[in-house]
Amino acid sequence: MATGGEMNKKDSDVTKSPKWPHFIIQSMADGVITVDGEMRITDLNRAAEKITGFTRQEAMGRFCGEVLQSSLCGRECPLKVAMLSGEAVSREAILQNRLGQKNEFMLTASALRDNQGNLLGGVETFRDIALIKQMDKERRQLAGMFAHDLKGPVVAMGGLLNRLIKGKLGELSEPQNAYLETVYQEVQRLEKLISNFLDFVRLDLHILTPLPSAVQVEKECQEVINRCQPLAGAKEITLELEFPQDVIVLQADPILFQRALCNLIENAIKYSPSQSRVVLTVSDLGREAQFAVKDQGLGIAPEDQPHLFELLFRGKTAGKETGLGLGLAIVKRIVNAHDGRIWVESEEGKGATFFFTLPKQPHSD
């Protein structure tokens, strides 16, 4: 009977075997092929056999395109691009198997080089994404259903309640009016939650994408401040703006830009004490503009800060304030969609400052 030491030695010997990389490739669930510098197949695993319909023995030595019949074969071939550039390349493609059946796959290719940097060939993995595509389609359909079947009735209810409050169907008593005002406010709150959720889903699925145009930053910021003024006034909070002397113009989606800024300012007001200040500071950083929204609230615990922009996250300093944590998640996706950056700086008891940057010109593809 082998002792533990003998078994460990045996395992170590196996991992040092020249065939060890082949064992790893064969055990992978994704399809894998390796090629030499002439794009001839040097290895193909069991998963790739099932996907292509070719056995390893049949595939060895054949040109990659003969076996992995991809819609990207030619100049866009991920393997060729990876071997020429030296960088990993990922692309979606249609693969056709030996029987002529076609399916969608995600291809990821990398160059294979020796310790001296000499090109030996390349390796490509391919994963079936048909199920992912189907789920993505269903999510898009669900978003559309929410937009039509859920938001529509809520908007209609709000309109009818508003007509009742204005006395369109007769004068109301004071208690009746108070009840209807409460119901109307809750319907408006529900409508806002639905809108936030839909915007998050649309941004996440890239259904809603930026439509850039020239944005005069000071003008857009002033509009957002004016819109947020009633909310700040209700808590006796002072809104302040600080701009650089030079005019800043961005190529950004004005609606999404205002939405991101408005969400941050409303969030600052929400978590600030009465008779405090919320300050919006705009800075010119050359190729990008920086926006900072500073409050005088309770601050954010260090352990909460990395999760603030996650969907439905609520930190321990949220207190009694209501909400689903959608606002900051939406801001992050808007900033990301513009190739910007977003982060927070805060100490408990000393307020918080939310920063984001936007490039003045969109990045070229």
Side-chain angles (χ1 to χ4, degrees), residues 291-349:
F291 305 85
V293 178
K294 183 178 183 180
D295 64 51
Q296 296 177 316
L298 296 175
I300 302 163
E303 62 269 24
D304 288 342
Q305 292 180 26
H307 307 288
L308 284 177
F309 303 103
E310 296 175 4
L311 179 64
L312 305 181
F313 178 79
R314 288 177 57 78
K316 70 178 186 180
T317 54
K320 297 180 181 179
E321 297 294 342
T322 59
L324 295 178
L326 285 167
L328 292 178
I330 289 172
V331 174
K332 180 176 176 61
R333 277 153 181 79
I334 291 174
V335 172
N336 287 348
H338 284 83
D339 295 318
R341 298 173 291 119
I342 186 167
W343 69 97
V344 64
E345 294 178 4
S346 177
E347 291 184 43
E348 288 188 87

Side-chain angles (χ1 to χ4, degrees), residues 160-168 172 177 180-181 184:
L160 292 172
L161 285 167
N162 191 41
R163 290 176 63 84
L164 288 173
I165 292 168
K166 290 182 177 180
K168 297 294 184 180
L172 300 173
N177 196 69
L180 285 176
E181 283 283 0
Y184 182 59

Side-chain angles (χ1 to χ4, degrees), residues 25-37:
I25 290 174
Q26 289 300 319
S27 67
M28 291 180 66
D30 290 344
V32 182
I33 62 169
T34 60
V35 299
D36 61 19

